[in-house]
Amino acid sequence: MVRLFSLRSARHHHGELFFPAENELTSLLLSLATYGSGLAMRPVGAIVLGIYADHAGRKAALWLAMASMGLGTGLIAFAPTYASIGVAAPLVILLARLLQGFSGAGELGSATALLVESAPDRWRGFYASLNAASQQIGFVLAAFVVMVMTLTMTPAEIEAGGWRLPFLFGLAIVPIAIYIRSKSPEPEIFLDRRNKQGMRILVTLCESRLLLVAVGVLFLYVVAGNVLAVYMPTFAVHELRLTGSGALFATIVATCVTIALTPLVAAVSDRIGRKPLFLIAIAGYLVLTYPAFAVVTTWLSVALLAVVQSAFGLLNAVYVGPLMSALAELFPTRVRATAISLALSLAVVVGALSPAFAAWLIAASGNARTPALVVIGAAMVSGIALLWFKDRYREPLS
């Protein structure tokens, strides 16, 4: 939730509050560069927290990741503005974003490893999908909070301090999450096969073709998520001329579809395999994405946008349902958390640029349907990666 609101705040408020400059464009660029620093920090966090998880334990890494995220969130929630402390204000925001990027990088890999290693063999997909679904729940909460704020507060009230409320809400969850994680037992398979090589496993991973396969498979997940969920509200407002609250509502509905169906699809993957579902989802994105953009750009309404986005929510569930378990099954226990975290971070660094690329395509071509080409391209990349993907859903974890 915090990360989504951070992006919106960077564009609308933080540029003025924390990065004053004589040139408004300079202020905006400085704020976006600061928020981009969190993205650049992700590979570092993936390596450090991943190796820590593979050596010290999944529980220890998850505890550290949440503590770092809480510290970063707290710094943003209580950060004084430039008017109060001058140049120290942007430095505080920069530090906060670095902490958030660092912690977020190791979160998914460690949690996925913990869930898969704790699951019965024939339920690994279902267990791992709960992690993916929980990520979507955070997105829904973020979008809902932003929607409520835009409906109940004026821009002046938001700028005066209302923008801090989502961060305070996120901060309140941190102690609960830390307590729950501190009570989670380590999986037996991890205790038997924990990594004792330290940084040497990074060399092994970088030499492994499996890491490239994992990044390729993740590519559609991160690009489709950024274009069809994160960017779509902005697209709906600027290109379709819909209200901001209506655009967010459509995104919330679609994300709820994904949340509800992801565990069900994952359970199916435990019976028929991960790869068939990947192929079905990729085929859906290739065939339906451009017509879907044609529909929403021809008939402009919130209801139709919600229906179209919900269809994408279904496709997303088909793809993400088996995704986390498939990644975990690619790698042995001693490097699992590091491999998943690093692969995801590398994919996210590229995928996070996809909304900007989609916006550039619209500006360059004058065609509001061109973001579909970004998603179609990502589907092709992931489809090629699947040529080297070995489905190990029936095999015991190594």
Side-chain angles (χ1 to χ4, degrees), residues 42-51 53-54 61 102-113 205 211 215 218 327 331 335-348:
R42 290 186 69 94
V44 177
I47 292 170
V48 174
L49 287 175
I51 291 175
D54 286 327
F102 176 86
S103 62
E107 172 82 17
L108 192 60
S110 300
T112 298
L205 271 179
L211 184 62
V215 172
L218 279 163
L327 293 175
F331 301 98
V335 300
R336 182 168 292 122
T338 306
I340 297 173
S341 298
L342 184 57
L344 182 62
S345 294
L346 294 174
V348 164

Side-chain angles (χ1 to χ4, degrees), residues 181-199:
R181 292 175 181 199
S182 67
K183 299 299 182 181
S184 301
E186 294 287 0
E188 289 295 329
I189 189 173
F190 165 75
L191 295 175
D192 292 339
R193 304 178 189 181
R194 74 170 67 209
N195 162 52
K196 299 179 181 180
Q197 296 178 309
M199 291 293 291

Side-chain angles (χ1 to χ4, degrees), residues 12 18 42 61 88 103 129 186 207 282 293 306 311 319 371 389:
H12 297 293
F18 296 102
R42 290 186 69 94
S103 62
S129 73
E186 294 287 0
E207 294 175 346
I282 287 173
F293 271 84
Y319 198 81
F389 171 78

Side-chain angles (χ1 to χ4, degrees), residues 308-375:
V308 170
Q309 280 197 263
S310 295
F312 283 129
L314 170 60
L315 283 178
N316 188 36
V318 174
Y319 198 81
V320 76
L323 180 60
M324 296 302 130
S325 55
L327 293 175
E329 291 159 352
L330 276 179
F331 301 98
T333 300
R334 69 181 186 278
V335 300
R336 182 168 292 122
T338 306
I340 297 173
S341 298
L342 184 57
L344 182 62
S345 294
L346 294 174
V348 164
V349 168
V350 178
L353 300 175
S354 54
F357 184 52
W360 177 83
L361 283 177
I362 294 174
S365 67
N367 185 350
R369 301 171 186 177
T370 51
L373 302 179
V374 181
V375 178

